[in-house]
Amino acid sequence: MDEQLDKLDLRLLEELQKDGRLTNNELGERIALSPSQCSRRRTRLEAEGYIRSYQANLDRQKLGLDMLVVISVTLATHNRDNARRFSQLINGLPEVLEAYALTGEMDYHLKVATRGLAGLSRFVNDVLLPHESVQHVKTSIVLDTLKTFEGFPVPLSHTWHGDGMR
């Protein structure tokens, strides 16, 4: 955590992460600051990159993206050019919600949303497998979502588990 952030900055970040549409008046009421102070702090946090953007959280199922899948990918060869080609492929695919390069058995994990099994089949068989950088693909269909991303933990005064802070 950056030492430039005080407790009010952290509370402001926590509140905006819950609702990015808060006005400075509403934010001020929640964290006990004047609207002008909230505005100055928000502008500074945006300029310093703590707040990267504001966006709407859409319902993927209402959009017809009813299939959520975790796909593990192994590259055909392990060199910089092949990894770059795979990265370019993934960054151009709107179905890929998140992508992670990993250590261990698989090279990448992708979180993908498609329209049903037919959409998944097209994505794997027509997009991933034919690509020159890909050797092996393993799909796991998500049966149930236990928790979704709702924001990063903002360290205030509460206890943290697993990182030595108490």
Side-chain angles (χ1 to χ4, degrees):
M1 179 176 70
D2 195 313
E3 295 302 317
Q4 294 176 306
L5 298 180
D6 63 19
K7 223 171 198 157
L8 289 171
D9 289 333
L10 294 172
R11 291 197 53 220
L12 186 143
L13 290 173
E14 187 175 50
E15 291 298 328
L16 284 175
Q17 192 167 226
K18 291 177 192 171
D19 184 356
R21 293 173 42 166
L22 289 174
T23 66
N24 289 321
N25 285 337
E26 294 166 329
L27 194 54
E29 288 174 14
R30 291 186 185 193
I31 66 171
L33 265 185
S34 71
S36 61
Q37 278 287 348
C38 285
S39 176
R40 280 191 287 277
R41 284 176 182 265
R42 183 193 304 228
T43 300
R44 179 178 55 81
L45 291 167
E46 291 168 349
E48 292 176 358
Y50 289 98
I51 299 171
R52 296 188 333 187
S53 68
Y54 297 90
Q55 61 189 15
N57 186 354
L58 307 180
D59 186 314
R60 81 175 157 77
Q61 290 180 319
K62 287 189 183 222
L63 294 171
L65 300 168
D66 57 341
M67 179 89 38
L68 188 61
V69 184
V70 176
I71 300 178
S72 301
V73 178
T74 304
L75 295 183
T77 58
H78 292 86
N79 61 52
R80 198 171 310 172
D81 287 339
N82 204 38
R84 182 186 45 76
R85 282 192 297 273
F86 182 73
S87 178
Q88 287 173 337
L89 169 69
I90 294 308
N91 281 294
L93 299 172
E95 299 91 342
V96 178
L97 307 179
E98 297 177 34
Y100 302 97
L102 306 171
T103 61
E105 185 179 336
M106 301 306 252
D107 297 317
Y108 296 91
H109 275 189
L110 312 177
K111 180 178 170 185
V112 175
T114 65
R115 292 181 183 269
L117 200 51
L120 173 60
S121 179
R122 275 191 303 280
F123 182 78
V124 170
N125 294 317
D126 298 343
V127 177
L128 285 183
L129 285 175
H131 195 268
E132 63 187 347
S133 65
V134 175
Q135 177 184 13
H136 179 73
V137 171
K138 179 181 173 185
T139 62
S140 298
I141 296 172
V142 174
L143 298 176
D144 192 15
T145 301
L146 304 179
K147 182 178 180 181
T148 59
F149 179 74
E150 294 182 6
F152 295 106
V154 178
L156 295 172
S157 61
H158 57 279
T159 302
W160 286 75
H161 302 284
D163 63 357
M165 293 178 66
R166 292 281 178 225

